[in-house]
Amino acid sequence: MEVSLVLSLKLPPGTATLPKELAATAAAGGVSIKLGCGRTKVRALPGAPPGQVGLSADAWRVLAVPYQGIRLKVKKPKPGRLEFGPAVSVLYPGRGRRIKPEWIEERTDQYFGHLRGAPGLLALGFDRSINWKDGTVGGFVLDNRPGQSNRTIAARFPIPDAVYLSWITRPDVVQRLRHATRERAFNWPRRFSKWVFYAMMSALPVIRDHLPDTRRFHRAGDLEAMLACYETVWVKKVRGFRGRGVVRVRRQPGGFELRFMKEKRPVRSLVANPGELDRRLRVVLGRGPHIVQQGICTVGLKGKTLDFRVVVVKDGAGEWRCLKAHAKVAQNRNLVVTSEAPYVGVVRALRRHIGLSRAAANKTALEMVDLSLKTARALDPRFFPLGILGMDLAVDAGDKKIWIIEANPVPAWDYSLEVKKKLGRSLVDYALYLAGG
């Protein structure tokens, strides 16, 4: 059933009007109204017009309905409870102050554009605007009333049923949201790292064979042991991103060669012995945990480094699917990372740089997608609910084997507007699925 909930200051103090379809339920005795994670008691008022009910003292703060006449769906009434929804939100860091109207409209369309006119509480919220005492969030709500569906209203709203966490890493916020939403606050990457990913996935036979040998880098001996096995290794920060904190180390006559990026410029450094190599790495990488990883031969045409990104997302049925796949090819042979590289089609890159035929390239591309989906399904139950993963893969230029380099739960969205909309709307559809909407 779809109704409009009327909760207005124009009504007598402490009252609200319920739709006539629900008036009889409310008149039968004291019931509670639930919207998102907000719940308040109502009671029938003697001599009041049909549908007009009394509210508990904290109703205005708890329900925080941002405008009169919000269109919602009513779940099948349970004894003593009326539940409205769905209620979902995208949560950003900060307080949401001094936000430009252009940003609001762009993000609203990106996430909720396909739901304009649909019933439900659809909102953009901010973590530092949450009032935990009242259970409300400050932000912007899509106005879904007839004739108003192109507006976004600044308002407070109840903590929703499901929340997509956009760059929210504060543990206190996430833990409280997990409790409030009953584990429907998803894509928190706090516990996710390159080492955790490898340790988990290496225990699964279907994925283990596609993982390069990876070890923790505690001391010089760890690196020496890997260089004894492989001519080239990568040393990486456990939580590095976009090519930061990544060094390629290669054995060569008389010592070792290091290649890395510094202020977006390629740097080449030569050292003579393992002790000097260890000291140099500590300077380049800085403090913190690191891993050392088997080097894969990913050099393509003209010596250019290349790798592949497969973005998989949850859909409105809670299933993983591939939304975007592309290759990244370094612009010249001096660049050892591809974080700033332009995107290239997967099949085109496989043919041009790996030397595959069209049929073999198509087959390999499908295998990369299938492997990414298997990995996402394996990771999902081991973390809080995930909604999106950016899988980084490589294809060995020699034996053409597919390797999984890492998985990123917060992949960059530097795509076209059309792709950004597909990503955002898929995440909202998944939130609606979690909310039961």
Side-chain angles (χ1 to χ4, degrees), residues 3-5 35 65-72 120-121 144-145:
V3 300
S4 295
L5 178 62
L35 174 59
V65 177
Y67 41 81
Q68 182 177 342
I70 181 173
R71 292 173 56 224
L72 299 161
L121 178 63
N144 61 16
R145 293 175 296 174

Side-chain angles (χ1 to χ4, degrees), residues 110-164:
Q110 179 175 300
Y111 287 104
F112 305 118
H114 62 313
L115 297 173
R116 291 190 185 277
L121 178 63
L122 311 171
L124 304 173
F126 298 88
D127 68 332
R128 293 186 182 274
S129 72
I130 299 175
N131 185 321
W132 296 108
K133 181 180 179 181
D134 297 341
T136 61
V137 187
F140 303 93
V141 179
L142 185 67
D143 189 344
N144 61 16
R145 293 175 296 174
Q148 303 292 331
S149 57
N150 290 323
R151 297 176 57 204
T152 306
I153 299 174
R156 296 199 68 81
F157 52 91
I159 292 175
D161 298 304
V163 179
Y164 167 59

Side-chain angles (χ1 to χ4, degrees), residues 372-407:
S372 297
L373 292 171
K374 287 178 179 176
T375 304
R377 294 183 189 116
L379 278 173
D380 210 14
R382 291 166 168 78
F383 286 89
F384 311 135
L386 291 169
I388 181 171
L389 280 173
M391 299 294 304
D392 288 338
L393 304 114
V395 177
D396 194 296
D399 62 11
K400 315 304 190 253
K401 180 178 179 176
I402 299 173
W403 293 93
I404 303 172
I405 306 302
E406 63 182 78

Side-chain angles (χ1 to χ4, degrees), residues 10-71:
K10 295 179 180 179
L11 294 172
T15 64
T17 298
L18 292 177
K20 62 181 180 180
E21 300 95 328
L22 304 175
T25 303
V31 299
S32 68
I33 295 178
K34 183 176 183 295
L35 174 59
C37 295
R39 180 176 295 175
T40 186
K41 286 283 188 180
V42 302
R43 68 184 189 283
L45 296 175
Q52 190 166 302
V53 294
L55 300 171
S56 62
D58 64 349
W60 292 107
R61 290 183 293 116
V62 172
L63 288 182
V65 177
Y67 41 81
Q68 182 177 342
I70 181 173
R71 292 173 56 224

Side-chain angles (χ1 to χ4, degrees), residues 162-165 174 178 181-189 191 314 320 376 379-389 409 427 430-431 433-434:
V163 179
Y164 167 59
L165 302 167
V174 178
R178 287 178 60 209
T181 63
R182 299 183 181 181
E183 303 293 345
R184 297 189 187 102
F186 65 97
N187 249 69
W188 185 46
R191 292 171 52 243
K314 285 280 190 69
W320 286 101
L379 278 173
D380 210 14
R382 291 166 168 78
F383 286 89
F384 311 135
L386 291 169
I388 181 171
L389 280 173
L427 291 166
Y430 177 52
Y433 165 79
L434 290 176

